[in-house]
Amino acid sequence: MKNFINLKDIPASDLKKIILDAKKRKAKRKKLNTLDVDKDSPLKGKLLIQMFEKSSLRTRLSFYLAIKQLGGAALTLRPDELHLTKGGESLADTAKILSTYGNGFMLRTDSDEKIEVFKKHLTIPIINGLSPSSHPTQILSDIFTVQEIKKKSISKLNICWIGDSNNVLNSLIAASVKFSFNLNIGCPKNYEPKKQVMNWVVKNKGKINIFNDPKKAIMNADVVFSDKVVSLNDKVNKIKKIKDFKNFRIDSKLMRLAKPSCIFLHCLPRGSEVSDKVFLGKQSKVWQQALNRVYVQKSILLYCFDKLG
Ligand code: CP
Ligand code: NVA
């Protein structure tokens, strides 16, 4: 079995295998309905338990569909209905019970440490469904979407992120090293990625440029990514932060500095970081991006269960 916690800890060859598998499986589902099971039913009889300590729409639904299409089933737990530390039950005991009843555990949490504790005590795979430091399933799926639309390896494209240095960007940074692509980051001063993240990039010979001017960051981009300025785990002065990002709003004028063929991606939910015109416009591929999470997460599940072809 394998865990899926952080892209930086997973070999590039495995990440590429996941993407290839997703491509093959997606192609085979053209005539199937949402809940039809893939012909080979590779996870028949398996139960994925998922738990969300933070809100979720896409991750919840896409993992549900992913395991169903592989022949298994999903059960979503609400943390407030479990004993989970407050009732005196330790995370270690919870992990042992999850491993007794289930076959895989997907967790969205506001604590990276909690993932580590679960990992230590689970005997089934754990998948990070968003933590304060990363959102690996989202970004792996986004790499798939970029390559699907651009019909070429992401290593041949200029990728740009305009926005906060948050969990999603951390995963995109890790992906830029694993998939060897150029990444321009546009963010205000004092909102750059953490030193620890950038030290890892330098150590691993990443190709990342940081600009405090969105116009410089977006120049010649093939893909522009963005995300909310205030994330779920942000305990910031929201009014100040939104004001600090005022000049980093992605509108049509800014998009014109990218290549004419540039696409816009956003993991959703969205805030004021992007104009409606861009978000709902021709260059935006956000709905395709959201749907692709089902396909890539299926292959992530197969990877975790050692069933990747
Ligand atoms: N993009 C994403 O993870 O969405 P949810 O928060 O709705 O799961
Ligand atoms: N950065 C966002 C992503 C939501 C899917 C958050 O953590 O809230």
Side-chain angles (χ1 to χ4, degrees), residues 55-60 108 130 135 138 267-269 293:
S55 317
S56 168
L57 172 64
R58 285 144 287 267
T59 308
R60 183 189 305 264
R108 170 168 289 193
L130 183 146
H135 197 1
Q138 174 75 54
C267 63
L268 287 149
R293 295 198 56 197

Side-chain angles (χ1 to χ4, degrees), residues 82-116:
L82 309 181
H83 300 285
L84 209 62
T85 65
K86 58 181 184 304
E89 181 152 71
S90 66
L91 286 184
D93 287 358
T94 306
K96 290 209 175 85
I97 295 300
L98 292 174
S99 309
T100 305
Y101 291 118
N103 304 104
F105 184 47
M106 204 285 298
L107 177 65
R108 170 168 289 193
T109 176
D110 52 8
S111 159
D112 285 288
E113 294 73 38
K114 198 176 276 181
I115 297 184
E116 290 306 314

